[in-house]
Structures are given as structure tokens and as C-alpha cells.
């Protein structure tokens, strides 16, 4: 005797009816479970920080705590996914993902607070060494978060796709008690899932995009922190010495910049020497940068910024003697040699200025000014004393 399909269908719907209102609570449950871990970690940092020499210890604690919290969050999500499958055969994946994205946004917001605190510290030259260390540590943490979330998103989205992929075939199922979608989901939730599938979104796509944004911020902050002391040196200690020597000695300000540049790779090495360093994910955010090491990217950005700042500082000079021009030429040549040792090149504008300074007495010679931008030639000519 065949069972009465209508009665079985009614019975199954009545049986599963109490579960339907739980989906919205299900999302909130996963959101709260992770958010509570984040809040507990933040509270622990506040409790541990003592009133010492300022914000630096607090920054270090926050960065380290954020990094240590990541594997705990990842493990919790993986364990929660097992319960999603066990509890309702994976039909709650969409609400599970919603809760995760909301809670992970709280995690990102906490790291944005750290970013803003680091950003405020740039103006304090006394703590620059700690600032570089903290900024690189923060960038590495952001890179690790991005790396782990992308992997987790791929895993969850693949598993989610296997469950949701069965939905279309079950819509036309003529055997009502085999249509679990019809029992586990009401029409509104089913429509939401179909829209999610049609958009081909990933389960943690929103969270990943938020992390990519903070990785871009971290990348820019690393560049700013490494450039700042050089720019300050050029703006504050730039001086025009009048050298009457045939072979002028590089000025002190430029040798200090050179020493900083030479030592910078060693200062970066503990954080990004390894090919597997997570900080690489902070810099590998576009196809233009793809394949280049973080050290190369930092130094390349730094060299361009220094060249531009140095060029602008020279162009602010209102008058030069022949000896001062000779000294500037020597200073530019020294910087160029440091760049070359690091595998870098000064900008074309700075190359042109060096040539003009070496030929300061012959600025009307076509061979001297050839291929040098006219704006540079005119600017240097104005620096010559009126005879």
C-alpha cells in the first residue's frame, strides 16, 4: 500500500515547521560566538597594558593579540561548519555565512583601530624604529588574515556549493518526502539561496574584500613609514656647501640618507626575508605588483619618493654659486651610487639636475641641456648669479 503523499507532505512540513524561525537566530548565534572572542581579546589587551612609556607597548600587544586570535577564529569556524552540516544537512550555510561576515567585520574594524593608531605615530621621530617594527608586524598580520580567509572562503564555498547545487534538481521532485529543501526552507529563504547561487558569490566574499582594503592601507602605511625619515632629513638638514675642491666630499645630510637606505633591507629582513612570509599578500594586491618581493616594492617606492622630494628641494634654491652646484652634483652622484648598490635608479629628473650642476657654467650649451626637461633647465638658469 502506497503512503498518502499529501498526508506525508503535511506531516513532514509540520515536523520541520519549528526549525524555520531559527535561521535568523542561527546567523546571530554564529555572529555572537566569534564577536565574543574578539571582545574578550580586546579586553585582555586593555587589562594587560600598563601605564608605561606611551602607546608603543599597547600597539605591540594589540598586533600580537590580533595575530594570535586568528587561528582561534579559523578553528572555531571550521568546527561550526561541522555543526551546520550535522544540524540541517548544510541548509543553513547562507545564514552561517551571514553571521561570519558580520563578525569578521568586527575583527577587521579592530585592526583598523590599530592602523589608525600606527598612522598617528608617524609624526613622532623618537619612536621611528619601533614604528617600523610595529608597522611591518601589522602588515604581516593583515597578510596572514587575508591568506587564511581566502583559503577558508574557498573551502566553505566549495562545501556550500555542493549542498546548494542539489537545490535545482530537487525543485521538480515528484516525491514530496524526498524534497528536503521544501521542508527545511520556506519560500523566502529558498529564494535568497537561489539568488546567492545565481550571483556566484563566495560565502565569505564580503569579509575577504574588507581585509583586502585594510591590506592596501597597511601597504601604504609601510611606504609612508619608510619614507618619512628621509623626507624629514631633506627638508630640515638640507644644506648648500660651497666646494672649491675638484672632488667634493658628499654632504652629511646625503650620507645619512645613504646609510639609512643601506641598512633598511637588514631592518626589513626579519619580517619579509622568507618567501613564505604573509606580508607578501599585503603587497600582492594587483597584477602590476605580482611576482615582486615586498622588499623590492618598498625600496622601489622609497627610491622614487626620495628622488622626487630631493628634486623639489633643489628646485627651491633661489641662487647657487659654482662651488655649491659642484657640491650638489657630488651629492646626487653619491645618492645614485647608493641606489645602484641596492639595484635601484634615481629618477630622470634627478639625473638631469646632476648633469646641469656639473655643467653649471655652460647651461646654454645645447649638448649640456639635450634631453633634459625645459622646466629644469629654466629653473637652474634662474639660480645662476647675475653677472
Amino acid at each position: 500500500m502506497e503512503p498518502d503523499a499529501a498526508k506525508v507532505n503535511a506531516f513532514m512540513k509540520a515536523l520541520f515547521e519549528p526549525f524555520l524561525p531559527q535561521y535568523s537566530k542561527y546567523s546571530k548565534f554564529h555572529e555572537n560566538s566569534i564577536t565574543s572572542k574578539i571582545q574578550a581579546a580586546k579586553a585582555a589587551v586593555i587589562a594587560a597594558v600598563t601605564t608605561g612609556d606611551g602607546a608603543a607597548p599597547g600597539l605591540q600587544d594589540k598586533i600580537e593579540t590580533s595575530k594570535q586570535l586568528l587561528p582561534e577564529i579559523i578553528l572555531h569556524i571550521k568546527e561550526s561548519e561541522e555543526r551546520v552540516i550535522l544540524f540541517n544537512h548544510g541548509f543553513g550555510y547562507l545564514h552561517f555565512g551571514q553571521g561570519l561576515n558580520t563578525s569578521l567585520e568586527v575583527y577587521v574594524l579592530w585592526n583598523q583601530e590599530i592602523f589608525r593608531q600606527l598612522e598617528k605615530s608617524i609624526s613622532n621621530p623618537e619612536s621611528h624604529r619601533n614604528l617600523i617594527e610595529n608597522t611591518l608586524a601589522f602588515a604581516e598580520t593583515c597578510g596572514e588574515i587575508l591568506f587564511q580567509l581566502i583559503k577558508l572562503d574557498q573551502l566553505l564555498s566549495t562545501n556550500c556549493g555542493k549542498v546548494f547545487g542539489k537545490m535545482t534538481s530537487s525543485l521538480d521532485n515528484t516525491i514530496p518526502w524526498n524534497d528536503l529543501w521544501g521542508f527545511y526552507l520556506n519560500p523566502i529563504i529558498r529564494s535568497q539561496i537561489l539568488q546567492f547561487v545565481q550571483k556566484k558569490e563566495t560565502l565569505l566574499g564580503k569579509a575577504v574584500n574588507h581585509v583586502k582594503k585594510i591590506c592596501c592601507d597597511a601597504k601604504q602605511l609601510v611606504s609612508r613609514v619608510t619614507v618619512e625619515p628621509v623626507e624629514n632629513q631633506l627638508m630640515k638638514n638640507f644644506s648648500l656647501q660651497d666646494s672649491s675642491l675638484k672632488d667634493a666630499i658628499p654632504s652629511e645630510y646625503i650620507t645619512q640618507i645613504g646609510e639609512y637606505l643601506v641598512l633598511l633591507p637588514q631592518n626589513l629582513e626579519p619580517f619579509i626575508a622568507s618567501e613564505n612570509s604573509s606580508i607578501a599578500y599585503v603587497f600582492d594586491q594587483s597584477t602590476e605588483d605580482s611576482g615582486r618581493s615586498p622588499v623590492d616594492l618598498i625600496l622601489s617606492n622609497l627610491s622614487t619618493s626620495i628622488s622626487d622630494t630631493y628634486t623639489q628641494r633643489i628646485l627651491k634654491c633661489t641662487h647657487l654659486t659654482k662651488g655649491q652646484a659642484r657640491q650638489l652634483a657630488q651629492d646626487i652622484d653619491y645618492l645614485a651610487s647608493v641606489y645602484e648598490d641596492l639595484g635601484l635608479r634615481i629618477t630622470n629628473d634627478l639625473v638631469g639636475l646632476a648633469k646641469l650642476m656639473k655643467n653649471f657654467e655652460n647651461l646654454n650649451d645645447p649638448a649640456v641641456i639635450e634631453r633634459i626637461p625645459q622646466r629644469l633647465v629654466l629653473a637652474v638658469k634662474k639660480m645662476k648669479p647675475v653677472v
Side-chain angles (χ1 to χ4, degrees):
M1 179 180 175
E2 291 291 329
D4 187 323
K7 290 182 178 180
V8 172
N9 187 48
F11 172 75
M12 294 292 286
K13 286 187 175 181
L15 181 64
F16 284 91
E17 184 69 26
F19 291 95
L20 297 180
Q22 303 304 317
Y23 280 103
S24 59
K25 297 178 181 178
Y26 197 56
S27 174
K28 196 66 178 179
F29 168 77
H30 289 290
E31 175 189 338
N32 291 339
S33 62
I34 295 178
T35 302
S36 62
K37 292 180 180 296
I38 299 169
Q39 298 298 342
K42 293 176 66 175
V45 171
I46 294 174
V49 173
T50 56
T51 56
D53 54 354
L59 272 172
Q60 293 169 358
D61 290 338
K62 289 178 181 179
I63 294 168
E64 185 62 26
T65 302
S66 176
K67 185 176 182 179
Q68 291 176 353
L69 182 60
L70 178 61
E72 184 179 346
I73 291 175
I74 299 297
L75 178 61
H76 179 83
I77 292 175
K78 289 181 177 180
E79 292 175 345
S80 297
E81 184 194 19
E82 294 177 0
R83 291 192 289 271
V84 170
I85 297 172
L86 181 64
F87 177 65
N88 57 15
H89 300 281
F91 294 108
Y93 261 117
L94 182 62
H95 293 81
F96 175 53
Q98 291 172 350
L100 295 183
N101 277 293
T102 303
S103 60
L104 288 172
E105 186 176 354
V106 175
Y107 186 39
V108 172
L109 288 173
W110 183 29
N111 282 278
Q112 287 177 340
E113 290 177 11
I114 299 174
F115 166 78
R116 287 191 290 270
Q117 192 172 351
L118 281 167
E119 198 174 31
K120 290 179 181 179
S121 303
I122 293 179
S123 59
N124 184 5
E126 295 181 1
S127 62
H128 187 263
R129 183 180 295 273
N130 287 336
L131 182 59
I132 290 181
E133 181 179 353
N134 288 339
T135 302
L136 291 174
F138 175 69
E140 185 176 38
T141 296
C142 290
E144 183 66 17
I145 294 172
L146 180 60
F147 173 63
Q148 294 296 341
L149 278 191
I150 288 177
K151 282 203 313 179
L152 184 62
D153 189 29
Q154 291 172 344
L155 175 64
L156 294 181
S157 297
T158 299
N159 296 341
C160 173
K162 292 176 181 178
V163 175
F164 290 170
K166 301 174 184 177
M167 183 173 182
T168 304
S169 61
S170 69
L171 290 177
D172 299 325
N173 202 317
T174 57
I175 305 176
W177 49 86
N178 284 344
D179 183 17
L180 290 179
W181 287 98
F183 303 132
Y184 272 107
L185 306 173
N186 61 31
I188 295 177
I189 298 176
R190 178 181 286 198
S191 176
Q192 291 173 345
I193 291 176
L194 281 174
Q195 290 178 13
F196 174 79
V197 173
Q198 289 168 358
K199 290 179 180 178
K200 297 182 179 180
E201 297 177 342
T202 59
L203 206 63
L204 300 181
K206 292 182 180 178
V208 170
N209 288 334
H210 285 311
V211 176
K212 284 183 176 180
K213 172 61 171 63
I214 198 171
C215 280
C216 288
D217 292 339
K219 173 183 174 180
Q220 293 174 5
L221 186 62
V222 169
S223 299
R224 286 179 58 191
V225 167
T226 51
V227 167
E228 186 76 14
V230 177
E231 292 182 341
N232 286 338
Q233 184 75 2
L234 283 174
M235 299 308 294
K236 295 179 180 179
N237 299 326
F238 175 82
S239 60
L240 291 173
Q241 300 180 32
D242 193 329
S243 176
S244 58
L245 301 175
K246 182 178 180 181
D247 295 321
I249 301 173
S251 301
E252 183 178 0
Y253 77 90
I254 203 69
T255 58
Q256 290 178 349
I257 291 174
E259 291 171 1
Y260 171 78
L261 290 172
V262 170
L263 292 175
L264 186 60
Q266 299 177 26
N267 293 331
L268 300 177
E269 188 178 28
F271 297 92
I272 51 184
S274 171
E275 295 181 358
N276 297 322
S277 174
S278 299
I279 201 173
Y281 291 93
V282 170
F283 287 89
D284 193 16
Q285 291 290 298
S286 68
T287 54
E288 181 181 351
D289 293 341
S290 181
R292 301 179 63 188
S293 73
V295 173
D296 288 342
L297 289 164
I298 292 174
L299 291 177
S300 177
N301 179 82
L302 184 63
S303 66
T304 302
S305 296
I306 292 173
S307 293
D308 291 344
T309 303
Y310 196 20
T311 297
Q312 294 305 315
R313 184 62 189 87
I314 293 173
L315 293 178
K316 287 182 179 180
C317 297
T318 55
H319 62 275
L320 291 176
T321 66
K322 180 179 179 180
Q324 289 173 329
R326 183 186 297 113
Q327 182 65 54
L328 275 176
Q330 177 62 27
D331 291 345
I332 296 172
D333 283 348
Y334 170 80
L335 183 63
S337 68
V338 173
Y339 274 31
E340 185 176 355
D341 290 342
L342 295 171
L344 306 169
R345 293 183 60 184
I346 59 175
T347 59
N348 290 334
D349 280 358
L350 208 48
V351 171
L353 281 177
K355 185 177 181 181
L356 294 174
M357 296 303 168
K358 291 175 183 176
N359 298 275
F360 195 62
E361 297 296 305
N362 302 297
L363 295 179
N364 292 318
D365 187 343
V368 172
I369 62 177
E370 184 182 8
R371 297 182 180 179
I372 297 178
Q374 188 69 10
R375 60 182 177 80
L376 295 181
V377 175
L378 293 176
V380 174
K381 281 183 177 181
K382 290 180 180 179
M383 299 176 193
K384 290 191 66 175
V386 177
V387 180

